[in-house]
Structure formats: structure tokens, C-alpha cells
Amino acid sequence: KAGVTQTPRYLIKTRGQQVTLSCSPISGHRSVSWYQQTPGQGLQFLFEYFSETQRNKGNFPGRFSGRQFSNSRSEMNVSTLELGDSALYLCASSPDDGNQPQHFGDGTRLSIL
Amino acid sequence: KQEVTQIPAALSVPEGENLVLNCSFTDSAIYNLQWFRQDPGKGLTSLLLIQSSQREQTSGRLNASLDKSSGRSTLYIAASQPGDSATYLCAPPTQNTGFQKLVFGTGTRLLVSP
């Protein structure tokens, strides 16, 4: 069974631009969550999608948004990029069952110049 | 608000030692608790998931225990190997926010020397 796939693996952008990251969950998993990881703040929850609806949201500004498609694939978008948005963005998927673990992809490393 | 602390922050040991990594959390109303490892530049690999009703979970050389009442979990690694070198993270989601919203500690960075 294929794992969680995130594309692209690396991305370089400049301040003010916008970016879209993609996540394909494990087959059969309907819940997709996004996390931001930085050296200073560690791992922080961005949002979670289930059945194309945002079900849970972290404390991030509105520049961070996401969506989920009918095949459970998810994208997150960051607009008006700032230097502080440089981070590893991780996606996790699960079958939406509290008895099952969440599985993470290898992430997208976003660097803002 | 769930807050997670992991001790020690870093650990360096010779190969073959048995290790204990500690995780403490402030909100004991958790769904479960998951332990992960993260290799440099990589994503998180799920190691063990302990349900809130369980006391222990084992996978190979790994054993995780959970004491909800005291807000503590430990990850025991037997006969450590250089391949165990990584950062270990615990994440106990709370009933208030749903089991999908993981709250992470800052991790324990483990180095096992040959």
C-alpha cells in the first residue's frame, strides 16, 4: 500500500508570492491534516479536512487555506508569502478512526527568499 | 490547551543500551497517544499508538506505557542500535479538539553510537 505522497518535495519562493502544496493520502483514508514544522515553533497543526470539509483548524492567519477533493487528495495554499513561512509542511492521513494511527508524508520544504 | 513536554531533549548512548524517553502532558482527557520518530529532513514515522484505555503497547524492541491520571507516557527502547538514531515525538490529542488534531512535544533527539 502506497504511503502519503506530498509534492513537490522542495520549493523556493520569494516574499509576496503564493504557493500550493499537494497531498495524496493513503488509499481509503478520508481524513487529511496539515502541519507546519519550524525550528522555533516545532510542529503545529494547520487544519484538517474530511469529506471535502474543513473540520478542524489551528491558529494560523487566513493566508493559509486548504481544500480537499472528492478523491480525498488535499491541497494547501499560502498567499502573500512571508519569510517566516519558511518551513517543512507535513501532511498526515488517517481512516478517521481514533483507534488507528495517523500516517505522515515526507513533507514539502518551503524556502522563502 | 494541551501542552506536551519531552525529557530529555537530547540523549547520546552507546549501542546496546536500554533507553527510556519521557513524555508528559497537561490535559489527561486524551483519545489516545501516538509515538513517532523523525529522521533528519524526513516526515514522521508512526511507531506506536496507545488507546486511552490501555496501559501498554509493544512493537518489537519498543514498548510504550501510558498513565493518563498522571499525564505521562514513556517509550522504552531495548538494546538500542545506531539505526534508532532519530528524533522521537509524542502526540496526545485531546477529546476537546478531536483525535485528529495532534499536539506535539519538542521531541527527544537520540544518538546511538556504534
Side-chain angles (χ1 to χ4, degrees):
Chain A
K1 206 176 203 182
V4 178
T5 304
Q6 292 188 244
T7 56
R9 287 296 315 279
Y10 304 93
L11 210 46
I12 299 175
K13 293 286 187 180
T14 57
R15 280 181 298 174
Q17 287 187 310
Q18 74 167 19
V19 67
T20 299
L21 313 181
S22 179
C23 172
S24 293
I26 291 173
S27 178
H29 286 192
R30 298 170 64 193
S31 171
V32 174
S33 300
W34 289 88
Y35 292 82
Q36 180 195 64
Q37 186 176 31
T38 59
Q41 299 297 318
L43 273 157
Q44 293 185 290
F45 175 83
L46 279 157
F47 29 65
E48 183 235 347
Y49 285 86
F50 178 79
S51 289
E52 303 178 62
T53 301
Q54 186 181 89
R55 190 164 63 172
N56 221 331
K57 190 177 188 301
N59 296 322
F60 278 82
R63 300 185 297 107
F64 292 82
S65 63
R67 60 177 175 168
Q68 186 181 34
F69 302 94
S70 58
N71 62 357
S72 294
R73 189 177 71 86
S74 177
E75 290 180 347
M76 69 163 281
N77 184 276
V78 188
S79 62
T80 319
L81 287 165
E82 301 176 359
L83 292 178
D85 297 333
S86 294
L88 180 65
Y89 290 88
L90 293 164
C91 166
S93 77
S94 80
D96 194 43
D97 176 351
N99 296 318
Q100 299 295 323
Q102 292 196 38
H103 296 275
F104 282 75
D106 278 340
T108 293
R109 171 76 63 183
L110 175 63
S111 299
I112 311 301
L113 303 179
Chain B
K1 178 188 169 187
Q2 181 73 290
E3 292 183 3
V4 181
T5 303
Q6 291 189 245
I7 295 173
L11 190 57
S12 182
V13 300
E15 182 177 7
E17 281 205 5
N18 300 325
L19 310 169
V20 175
L21 309 182
N22 297 291
C23 170
S24 61
F25 45 93
T26 55
D27 186 346
S28 61
I30 61 173
Y31 270 105
N32 52 47
L33 187 144
Q34 199 166 351
W35 280 93
F36 296 89
R37 69 174 277 169
Q38 185 174 30
D39 294 283
K42 296 285 192 177
L44 278 62
T45 300
S46 177
L47 296 173
L48 289 164
L49 173 72
I50 314 177
Q51 296 301 327
S52 61
S53 58
Q54 294 179 306
R55 299 280 298 190
E56 279 191 14
Q57 189 70 257
T58 297
S59 175
R61 294 182 295 108
L62 305 179
N63 174 277
S65 67
L66 175 63
D67 183 345
K68 267 183 52 176
S69 61
S70 67
R72 294 178 188 276
S73 176
T74 58
L75 179 67
Y76 178 81
I77 303 176
S80 59
Q81 302 171 358
D84 294 330
S85 298
T87 296
Y88 290 79
L89 298 144
C90 71
T94 66
Q95 294 179 9
N96 280 343
T97 55
F99 59 83
Q100 300 294 6
K101 184 177 179 180
L102 300 180
V103 178
F104 288 90
T106 50
T108 293
R109 185 176 298 177
L110 173 65
L111 177 63
V112 182
S113 306

